[in-house]
Amino acid sequence: EAGVAQSPRYKIIEKRQSVAFWCNPISGHATLYWYQQILGQGPKLLIQFQNNGVVDDSQLPKDRFSAERLKGVDSTLKIQPAKLEDSAVYLCASSWPRQAYTGELFFGEGSRLTVL
Amino acid sequence: QKEVEQDPGPLSVPEGAIVSLNCTYSNSAFQYFMWYRQYSRKGPELLMYTYSSGNKEDGRFTAQVDKSSKYISLFIRDSQPSDSATYLCAMSANTGGFKTIFGAGTRLFVKA
């Protein structure tokens, strides 16, 4: 079974520039998550999709972050304009709907963003 | 106060030691409790999860949940250098939809 795919793995940009991250979940997983992991901290949920609908985006900084999941499969997370404090690893995860209750999430390797 | 508290370590032990990793939490609504392992520059991977209070064993790993004390533990027996990683506790609650909250992670080093 192929895992969660993310790209790019690494990205370096200057503040105020924009960046986009892409995620392809495990086939058949209806629930998709974007987490932000700052160095030395645990992952923080940014947004959760069920198919192509948003379940939770309460911690997404909507003035600069946006995410979409067209057709209920792939997802894109965009940051525009980036700030220094956005330097982090952006983790995409997916699960079957019931696993959203049990916390059984399957993570990709992450996209590491450095904002200079 | 954070919802989930976890000592970041680092914790350094010799090979073969028993390792105890712990988390405390404040939200009594948490129902599912998970332990994830994260190797450097990799995504977290689920080790095991438990529902409500009690113990669960899987090979060298044992997870314990004490809801009365709001305290969860992960024990690793016969630790190996390959166990060197960051261990994240996580828990989920139905707060108008289930959300999984992670601790900060404990870095573990097992020395050969």
Side-chain angles (χ1 to χ4, degrees):
Chain A
E1 178 182 71
V4 176
Q6 291 189 246
S7 67
R9 288 294 314 278
Y10 304 93
K11 189 74 175 179
I12 300 174
I13 62 173
E14 295 190 351
K15 59 183 179 182
R16 291 187 290 274
Q17 288 187 323
S18 63
V19 63
F21 302 113
W22 172 83
C23 173
N24 180 244
I26 291 173
S27 178
H29 280 188
T31 310
L32 184 146
Y33 317 76
W34 284 101
Y35 279 86
Q36 179 192 57
Q37 187 174 25
I38 293 172
L39 186 64
Q41 299 182 19
K44 182 182 83 171
L45 180 68
L46 293 176
I47 188 167
Q48 178 178 338
F49 293 95
Q50 178 77 16
N51 296 306
N52 52 346
V54 175
V55 174
D56 186 337
D57 64 355
S58 58
Q59 297 193 91
L60 186 74
K62 297 180 184 65
D63 58 335
R64 298 184 299 106
F65 286 65
S66 64
E68 61 182 8
R69 190 182 185 198
L70 300 176
K71 301 180 182 178
V73 181
D74 294 4
S75 179
T76 302
L77 176 70
K78 296 180 181 177
I79 307 174
Q80 181 179 13
K83 293 185 175 182
L84 297 177
E85 59 260 36
D86 298 332
S87 294
V89 176
Y90 292 86
L91 294 162
C92 179
S94 68
S95 73
W96 297 105
R98 187 187 181 280
Q99 292 169 328
Y101 304 150
T102 61
E104 297 172 81
L105 310 183
F106 296 83
F107 283 87
E109 295 199 323
S111 294
R112 183 177 298 269
L113 173 66
T114 301
V115 182
L116 302 176
Chain B
Q1 183 188 12
K2 291 182 180 178
E3 281 192 285
V4 180
E5 298 276 4
Q6 185 175 12
D7 186 337
L11 180 62
S12 183
V13 301
E15 183 176 357
I18 296 175
V19 176
S20 173
L21 303 168
N22 311 293
C23 287
T24 59
Y25 63 94
S26 57
N27 187 350
S28 58
F30 286 131
Q31 295 177 282
Y32 288 90
F33 303 88
M34 291 73 72
W35 286 96
Y36 282 81
R37 178 174 61 197
Q38 186 174 25
Y39 290 115
S40 180
R41 296 186 180 272
K42 298 290 186 180
E45 58 176 332
L46 181 68
L47 281 175
M48 52 202 308
Y49 78 91
T50 54
Y51 174 70
S52 195
S53 286
N55 293 2
K56 186 173 185 178
E57 188 173 319
D58 184 0
R60 297 184 295 113
F61 298 89
T62 299
Q64 286 186 352
V65 175
D66 182 349
K67 291 193 74 177
S68 63
S69 301
K70 295 189 178 67
Y71 189 87
I72 71 170
S73 301
L74 177 71
F75 298 96
I76 307 175
R77 291 184 298 280
D78 187 25
S79 57
Q80 303 295 309
S82 58
D83 295 328
S84 297
T86 295
Y87 289 80
L88 299 156
C89 65
M91 38 204 83
S92 66
N94 188 356
T95 54
F98 274 79
K99 181 188 296 185
T100 299
I101 309 295
F102 284 83
T106 299
R107 292 194 68 190
L108 172 67
F109 295 96
V110 181
K111 297 179 290 186

